[in-house]
C-alpha cells in the first residue's frame, strides 16, 4: 500500500528563520510528487511537481527537492504570509492524477 | 477568470436528510474529483469522473453519490447512509486523465445538526 508521511505535523518559526518540511513516501513506481499550499478554509493551491530523484524547483522563498525516498520543502527567510498548511501528494504509475495519495500536511506558522 | 466554484460555503444536514454540494468549473477540464478532508488529515478521494456521463468510486464512496451530465458540473450528494458526514469537502479538476496538476475549489464545510 502506498504511504505518504509528512513531518513535522506543525512548525512554528520566527520571521527570517529558515527551515525544512519533510515528505517521505513508500510507493511502487513514482510518477510524480506534488506540493500544495492550503490556507485555512480554502482549497489547496498547486506549488510544484517533481518527477525524478535529484530534481529541484524553486518559487520565491520555497525550494522543493526530491530523493528516492523523500522530498523536502525548504523555506528560506520565511514571512508571516508563508503561514499555511503544506500538503504533499504522490502519483503512482499510470493512475489518474486525482488518485494521488496525500499526506496529512504540515501546518507552518511564521511569527513576525 | 477561470476556476472552480463550490457552493454553498457552509451546509448543515439534519439526520436522515440528503444534501447536495455543487461544483462548477469553467476551465474546460475533462477530469473532476471530490475529496473529503477531516481536521489534521490529508485528502481522501470520494468519486472521480474522467468524462461526461462516466464516473468511478474512490477510496471512500460509501454514503455518497455523484452525476456528470455536463462537462462543467460534478455535483456530490451526501446521503443519509453516510453516518459521519461532518467534514470539509473539496472539488478539483485536471486538464485530462494524465495531467498532474489539480485545481481546487474553495470547499464546502458540511456539519450535522
Amino acid at each position: 500500500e502506498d504511504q505518504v508521511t509528512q513531518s513535522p505535523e506543525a512548525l512554528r518559526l520566527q520571521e527570517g528563520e529558515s527551515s525544512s518540511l519533510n515528505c517521505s513516501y513508500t510507493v511502487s513506481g513514482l510518477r510524480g510528487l506534488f506540493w500544495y499550499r492550503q490556507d485555512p478554509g480554502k482549497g489547496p493551491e498547486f506549488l510544484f511537481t517533481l518527477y525524478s530523484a535529484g530534481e529541484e524547483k524553486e518559487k520565491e522563498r520555497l525550494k522543493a527537492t526530491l530523493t528516492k525516498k523523500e522530498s523536502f520543502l525548504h523555506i528560506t527567510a520565511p514571512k508571516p504570509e508563508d503561514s499555511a498548511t503544506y500538503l504533499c501528494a504522490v502519483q503512482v504509475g499510470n493512475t489518474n492524477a486525482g488518485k494521488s495519495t496525500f499526506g496529512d500536511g504540515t501546518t507552518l506558522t511564521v511569527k513576525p | 477568470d477561470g476556476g472552480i466554484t463550490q457552493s454553498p460555503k457552509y451546509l448543515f444536514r439534519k439526520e436522515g436528510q440528503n444534501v447536495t454540494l455543487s461544483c462548477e468549473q469553467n476551465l474546460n477540464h475533462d477530469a473532476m474529483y471530490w475529496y473529503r478532508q477531516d481536521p489534521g488529515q490529508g485528502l481522501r478521494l470520494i468519486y472521480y469522473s474522467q468524462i461526461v456521463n462516466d464516473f468511478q468510486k474512490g477510496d471512500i464512496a460509501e454514503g455518497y453519490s455523484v452525476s456528470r451530465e455536463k462537462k462543467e458540473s460534478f455535483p456530490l450528494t451526501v446521503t443519509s447512509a453516510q453516518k459521519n458526514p461532518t467534514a470539509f469537502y473539496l472539488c478539483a479538476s485536471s486538464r485530462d486523465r494524465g495531467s498532474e496538476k489539480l485545481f481546487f475549489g474553495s470547499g464546502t464545510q458540511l456539519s450535522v445538526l
Side-chain angles (χ1 to χ4, degrees), chain B residues 91-110:
Chain B
C91 179
S93 71
S94 63
R95 183 168 49 85
D96 52 39
R97 182 181 185 276
S99 176
E100 70 276 8
K101 185 175 179 179
L102 294 174
F103 294 79
F104 286 88
S106 57
T108 293
Q109 176 63 51
L110 175 63

Side-chain angles (χ1 to χ4, degrees), chain A residues 31 34 36 38 41-46 49 51 87 91 94-105, chain B residues 9 31 33 35 37 40-43 45 48 50 88 90 94 96-102 104-107:
Chain A
R31 179 172 178 176
F34 316 102
Y36 291 87
Q38 185 176 24
K42 302 283 183 66
E45 179 182 345
F46 173 80
T49 308
Y51 296 100
L87 299 169
Q91 184 183 11
N94 291 322
T95 58
N96 187 295
K99 296 186 71 177
S100 298
T101 300
F102 283 81
D104 290 343
Chain B
K9 180 66 174 174
Y33 318 86
Y35 297 92
Q37 187 175 34
Q41 297 188 27
L43 278 62
L45 184 64
Y48 65 101
Q50 298 176 22
F88 190 54
L90 287 160
S94 63
D96 52 39
R97 182 181 185 276
S99 176
E100 70 276 8
K101 185 175 179 179
L102 294 174
F104 286 88
S106 57

Side-chain angles (χ1 to χ4, degrees), chain B:
Chain B
D1 289 337
I4 299 178
T5 301
Q6 289 187 240
S7 62
K9 180 66 174 174
Y10 301 95
L11 186 60
F12 297 91
R13 193 193 87 168
K14 296 179 180 179
E15 189 173 346
Q17 185 183 42
N18 293 352
V19 293
T20 297
L21 284 61
S22 171
C23 178
E24 303 278 334
Q25 57 101 351
N26 61 4
L27 299 167
N28 198 33
H29 285 175
D30 289 322
M32 297 186 73
Y33 318 86
W34 274 105
Y35 297 92
R36 170 178 172 140
Q37 187 175 34
D38 292 282
Q41 297 188 27
L43 278 62
R44 292 185 290 168
L45 184 64
I46 304 172
Y47 268 98
Y48 65 101
S49 169
Q50 298 176 22
I51 195 170
V52 175
N53 292 323
D54 186 52
F55 49 83
Q56 287 80 40
K57 294 181 179 180
D59 301 319
I60 55 166
E62 185 174 353
Y64 301 97
S65 66
V66 294
S67 63
R68 185 86 185 276
E69 298 177 359
K70 299 186 301 181
K71 187 175 184 177
E72 302 80 19
S73 180
F74 191 41
L76 174 73
T77 297
V78 183
T79 74
S80 57
Q82 172 50 247
K83 298 306 180 186
N84 183 26
T86 297
F88 190 54
Y89 290 87
L90 287 160
C91 179
S93 71
S94 63
R95 183 168 49 85
D96 52 39
R97 182 181 185 276
S99 176
E100 70 276 8
K101 185 175 179 179
L102 294 174
F103 294 79
F104 286 88
S106 57
T108 293
Q109 176 63 51
L110 175 63
S111 302
V112 176
L113 289 175

Side-chain angles (χ1 to χ4, degrees), chain A residues 1-4 25-31 90-92 101:
Chain A
E1 182 180 336
D2 299 332
Q3 287 193 329
V4 178
Y25 60 92
T26 305
V27 301
S28 302
L30 177 70
R31 179 172 178 176
V90 171
Q91 184 183 11
V92 177
T101 300

